[in-house]
Amino acid sequence: MTFNQLKEAALRQFALNGYEGASLSSIANEVGIKKQSIYTYFKSKEELFIYSFNHSIEQEIQFIEHFFTVHKSKLSLEYLLYKFLTEYMNRYEKDKNTSFFIRTSYFPPNHLKELIIRESYQLTNQVEYLLESLFKEKSDLLNGKFSADTTTAAYLTILDGLFVEMLYGGKSERLQKRIFSSWNVFWQGIYSSKRDEK
């Protein structure tokens, strides 16, 4: 057994079953080891869960930073922002790391709630920084009534709402309608029709 196998198995089990539903026995079975072997690396299920969550934050931040680095110079602002919403919804459905991070952020184990919320702000702060920087850079395209800070808050509220819909309803026609509708209202609100993007 390798440490990486244990990490991957723990992430899958926590993503599928949550903190309460996943057991060290089920994680050990997936890797093909005895439960006691896990204690070589982690003192408890709680320690393994916290490690998995912090690792998931690092992975999500890497994805977000990479997304904006790769696409910012290639796509129009409108398509960049819309693509981020749709790609993150797809990532939630297909990537265990993302689904684990989102589910844990919204439904943390009760005894770890404060820690999860505090650690989640690492990602929130990074996304806010990237978006605010982007909106400041593209300010000539935007409605001057709204600051970069206000525009960022509105965009993140859309993202939060879509994740809640995804958590409860999965990828559905209703989710697609909400993405399309909320996006159109947001973009029409922030875009300055007096200028065309170059």
Side-chain angles (χ1 to χ4, degrees), residues 44-133:
S44 64
K45 181 169 87 167
E46 180 178 303
E47 187 177 281
L48 176 56
F49 183 84
I50 293 169
Y51 175 88
S52 299
F53 184 70
N54 286 330
H55 182 70
S56 76
I57 292 173
E58 292 171 9
Q59 296 300 305
E60 293 309 293
I61 289 175
Q62 284 179 21
F63 160 73
I64 292 164
E65 289 178 342
H66 181 260
F67 178 91
F68 282 100
T69 299
V70 168
H71 297 296
K72 191 169 80 166
S73 62
K74 298 178 182 177
L75 304 176
S76 68
L77 178 63
E78 178 180 8
Y79 190 57
L80 174 70
L81 294 170
Y82 185 73
K83 182 177 176 65
F84 183 68
L85 290 177
T86 56
E87 199 155 311
Y88 221 151
M89 292 303 106
N90 290 332
R91 184 174 166 86
Y92 172 86
E93 184 183 44
K94 296 174 182 177
D95 191 291
K96 287 285 183 283
N97 190 83
T98 302
S99 61
F100 169 63
F101 171 74
I102 298 298
R103 288 176 185 173
T104 304
S105 296
Y106 283 89
F107 305 114
N110 218 31
H111 68 293
L112 296 174
K113 187 175 181 179
E114 288 185 17
L115 182 146
I116 296 298
I117 291 171
R118 185 173 66 248
E119 296 301 317
S120 294
Y121 276 119
Q122 290 181 56
L123 184 136
T124 303
N125 291 339
Q126 184 62 11
V127 176
E128 284 180 347
Y129 170 77
L130 290 169
L131 288 170
E132 270 193 57
S133 299

